[in-house]
Amino acid sequence: MASVILLDDLLLIICTFLSFLVQETIQGQNERHLLHFLFVENQYNPLERPVANETKPIIVKFGITLQQIIDIDEKNQILYSNIWLQMKWNDVNLIWEPREFGGVEELRIPAKKVWKPDVLLYNSADDDFDGTYHSNIIVNNRGEVKWIPPGMFKSTCQIDIAWFPFDEQKCDLKFGSWTYDGRFLDLIFDGSSNGDASDFIRNGEWDLLGVPGVRNQKSYECCPEIYIDITYTIHVQRRTLYYGFNIIIPCVLISSMSLLLFMLPPDSGEKISLGKQRVKCGVTILLSLMVFLLLVAETMPPTSDAVPLIGIYFCCIMIMCSMSMMFTVIVLNFHYRGPETHSIPSWVNEWINGRLAWLLLMKRPGQQKHKHTNDTIERTRLHDIVVQERQSRCLLSGLEFEDEIRLENGAVPKPGDSPFLSTKSDLLSILRELRKITTRCKREEEEVIVRGEWRFAAMVIDRLCLWICVTFTVISTLAVLFSAPHLVTT
């Protein structure tokens, strides 16, 4: 009895397994029969345009799904993108009744087996021109065909560098049939005219603003027929945070360093060496700006259509640095002038040391504090000089009067007769030396005054140049920043 029960269970298991095998075999046979029906019995030809009336065009619904912007090569003006194409059309040769083929309603067929529109990217820069992967085509029993080939596209893009790095770029993707004109193929939008960006992967350098599409009809010189194309425009905006921290802020700091050159007094330390150091600092700052400009130029296309905004800013800063070096030379020229080579003109005292110094709120160091003391010292020195001249005149007149008396009496003066006769030559030499010393002191005082006037004029010019460079730098920086379409995009 137990053996009979085990035999019945074994037979039940075998029958169940065979039933599954039979069902799968029948299902595979249905698809095989359907494929045989479509491609062998109906003699399907992939070269035949699948329309019921050959005088009418086949309608192809077209759309794209933007997955990622891989890169925008500004120098070579090329856009690298990952896009899925979506094409739908009706194939009258791929229609069947599902009940006759075991309820099969859809088929996945290799793309080379069926007719498909030869839609290509017109502005492709790829070596193979077509960068799509020919995936399978989905066909249902009503003859509706759906084809979604993914692709890595390399397309040309006209780069506008006028507002770099605050720029926006618009790259066109022009899709259309390469051989079928509007009489044989009509390309229309699949729903919305905008590209699908719902699954877009965010780029580190660019923000996607939109993917609008436009349907165009155009004829070409080679082909007078009207060809239909759909052009999608990838509108992106550059994220400026990277360029702000790596290019703009260092440039502003370097330009501000050139203003600090005017804070160095020309008369502190070694005269000539400090002047050279100011010029060396200016040259170093100018060379550093050139390095930043070369870094920007490496990423820009070699075009003469426009100059990038940051390039204009660099040129302004380099002009300012060159002006600061020129001003430094002028200041040093004025500072080291003296009475030996230059006499101070009246216009320097009147315009530079007078009106311009008053306009810049500059005064000579200790002018008010020591004004009374300097006047007193000058009056005392003048009084001493006058007294000395009077005494010398009296002494000389006395000596001359004594000599005249002796000579009138007919007496020959002897060395021991009068103390005036023995010391006359010594006194005369002393008086001559006193006059030389007095003259030298006057000349030295005049030279000190002239040098002071020249140095004060150099200080005034230095302060004027400082304000000119500060004003030029601030105005150029604000003008460049506020003329940009957008300042910061993170």
Side-chain angles (χ1 to χ4, degrees):
M1 185 66 181
S3 61
V4 174
I5 295 174
L6 290 174
L7 183 61
D8 293 339
D9 293 337
L10 181 61
L11 291 175
L12 180 61
I13 293 173
I14 293 174
C15 291
T16 304
F17 178 72
L18 290 176
S19 65
F20 280 112
L21 290 178
V22 171
Q23 186 176 359
E24 290 182 2
T25 304
I26 294 174
Q27 186 70 18
Q29 290 178 354
N30 289 330
E31 289 189 4
R32 188 182 307 114
H33 291 164
L34 177 58
L35 293 174
H36 186 270
F37 170 76
L38 294 175
F39 292 95
V40 178
E41 295 181 8
N42 290 346
Q43 297 181 355
Y44 186 88
N45 189 357
L47 302 178
E48 176 187 350
R49 189 168 57 94
V51 290
N53 188 355
E54 295 180 354
T55 61
K56 293 185 178 180
I58 183 172
I59 298 176
V60 178
K61 297 179 180 180
F62 185 81
I64 65 171
T65 300
L66 181 61
Q67 296 291 326
Q68 184 181 10
I69 296 176
I70 300 174
D71 186 25
I72 296 180
D73 188 355
E74 294 96 341
K75 189 174 183 62
N76 298 316
Q77 303 191 64
I78 292 178
L79 167 67
Y80 298 89
S81 56
N82 181 8
I83 299 176
W84 295 356
L85 305 184
Q86 299 177 9
M87 287 178 276
K88 298 178 182 178
W89 66 92
N90 288 326
D91 194 330
V92 296
N93 298 325
L94 296 177
I95 299 176
W96 70 89
E97 183 62 39
R99 291 177 298 177
E100 298 178 1
F101 300 95
V104 177
E105 296 182 352
E106 284 186 350
L107 289 176
R108 272 72 179 174
I109 305 173
K112 64 181 180 179
K113 297 292 185 180
V114 299
W115 179 92
K116 56 185 179 296
D118 57 344
V119 175
L120 297 175
L121 179 63
Y122 277 27
N123 58 327
S124 175
D126 200 320
D127 296 336
D128 298 330
F129 201 82
D130 185 13
T132 59
Y133 171 73
H134 288 193
S135 60
N136 290 338
I137 293 177
I138 302 175
V139 184
N140 61 18
N141 61 302
R142 296 182 297 274
E144 297 175 352
V145 182
K146 180 190 294 184
W147 188 32
I148 308 177
M152 305 293 291
F153 290 93
K154 179 182 178 182
S155 59
T156 59
C157 179
Q158 183 67 31
I159 302 296
D160 183 13
I161 62 173
W163 302 107
F164 177 85
F166 309 100
D167 56 336
E168 297 179 2
Q169 301 297 335
K170 294 182 179 180
C171 298
D172 294 334
L173 299 174
K174 184 178 179 180
F175 294 95
S177 175
W178 194 254
T179 58
Y180 291 105
D181 56 60
R183 298 173 300 172
F184 303 103
L185 190 146
D186 188 8
L187 202 62
I188 63 174
F189 288 107
D190 184 14
S192 175
S193 61
N194 296 327
D196 184 12
S198 57
D199 297 330
F200 178 74
I201 300 174
R202 191 178 184 186
N203 188 272
E205 185 179 0
W206 301 92
D207 281 336
L208 181 64
L209 301 181
V211 191
V214 178
R215 183 178 179 271
N216 304 308
Q217 298 181 3
K218 185 179 179 181
S219 61
Y220 302 90
E221 293 183 1
C222 65
C223 312
E225 299 84 5
I226 301 298
Y227 283 82
I228 301 174
D229 66 83
I230 291 180
T231 301
Y232 288 95
T233 302
I234 299 179
H235 189 190
V236 292
Q237 175 179 303
R238 191 185 302 270
R239 303 172 68 181
T240 59
L241 189 61
Y242 170 81
Y243 294 93
F245 275 98
N246 292 278
I247 295 180
I248 298 177
I249 292 179
C251 178
V252 173
L253 294 177
I254 291 175
S255 62
S256 62
M257 289 176 61
S258 62
L259 300 177
L260 297 178
L261 294 178
F262 296 99
M263 299 298 177
L264 296 175
D267 56 348
S268 62
E270 298 181 3
K271 296 181 180 180
I272 304 300
S273 64
L274 186 58
K276 291 182 178 179
Q277 291 300 324
R278 291 185 65 172
V279 176
K280 289 180 181 178
C281 290
V283 174
T284 303
I285 293 172
L286 190 61
L287 292 177
S288 62
L289 290 175
M290 287 296 298
V291 171
F292 278 100
L293 185 59
L294 291 176
L295 291 176
V296 175
E298 287 180 357
T299 62
M300 294 292 99
T303 177
S304 299
D305 295 336
V307 179
L309 188 64
I310 193 170
I312 296 175
Y313 179 67
F314 281 160
C315 290
C316 293
I317 298 302
M318 285 190 291
I319 291 173
M320 189 272 297
C321 291
S322 302
M323 290 172 56
S324 65
M325 294 172 59
M326 181 183 66
F327 292 153
T328 299
V329 172
I330 295 174
V331 169
L332 293 175
N333 191 335
F334 270 70
H335 181 79
Y336 295 119
R337 286 189 177 187
E340 300 87 358
T341 57
H342 298 83
S343 60
I344 186 165
S346 59
W347 61 269
V348 174
N349 287 326
E350 181 180 357
W351 291 97
I352 298 179
N353 296 347
R355 299 182 182 182
L356 188 57
W358 174 82
L359 184 63
L360 297 175
L361 303 178
M362 294 183 64
K363 296 180 181 180
R364 290 181 176 85
Q367 183 178 6
Q368 296 295 333
K369 181 178 180 180
H370 302 287
K371 183 177 180 180
H372 179 71
T373 305
N374 293 335
D375 294 339
T376 304
I377 293 173
E378 290 179 359
R379 287 196 296 267
T380 305
R381 288 179 178 177
L382 182 60
H383 178 72
D384 294 339
I385 292 171
V386 172
V387 171
Q388 290 177 1
E389 289 182 354
R390 289 179 179 178
Q391 291 177 354
S392 62
R393 289 176 182 175
C394 294
L395 182 59
L396 288 174
S397 61
L399 290 174
E400 293 174 357
F401 179 74
E402 182 69 21
D403 291 339
E404 291 177 356
I405 295 174
R406 298 289 180 91
L407 292 172
E408 289 178 357
N409 295 329
V412 179
K414 295 181 182 180
D417 294 340
S418 173
F420 293 104
L421 296 177
S422 62
T423 59
K424 178 180 178 181
S425 58
D426 295 336
L427 291 175
L428 289 175
S429 61
I430 291 173
L431 288 175
R432 284 193 298 268
E433 293 298 327
L434 287 175
R435 288 176 180 176
K436 289 181 181 180
I437 293 172
T438 304
T439 305
R440 186 181 296 111
C441 290
K442 290 181 181 179
R443 188 170 60 251
E444 291 178 355
E445 289 179 357
E446 292 176 356
E447 291 177 357
V448 170
I449 293 173
V450 172
R451 287 194 181 93
E453 294 293 334
W454 281 117
R455 293 186 178 184
F456 183 69
M459 292 175 60
V460 174
I461 295 175
D462 197 24
R463 182 68 58 84
L464 176 64
C465 297
L466 171 63
W467 283 111
I468 291 175
C469 291
V470 169
T471 305
F472 183 81
T473 303
V474 171
I475 291 177
S476 60
T477 302
L478 294 179
V480 168
L481 292 179
F482 285 102
S483 63
H486 56 275
L487 290 179
V488 179
T489 301
T490 59

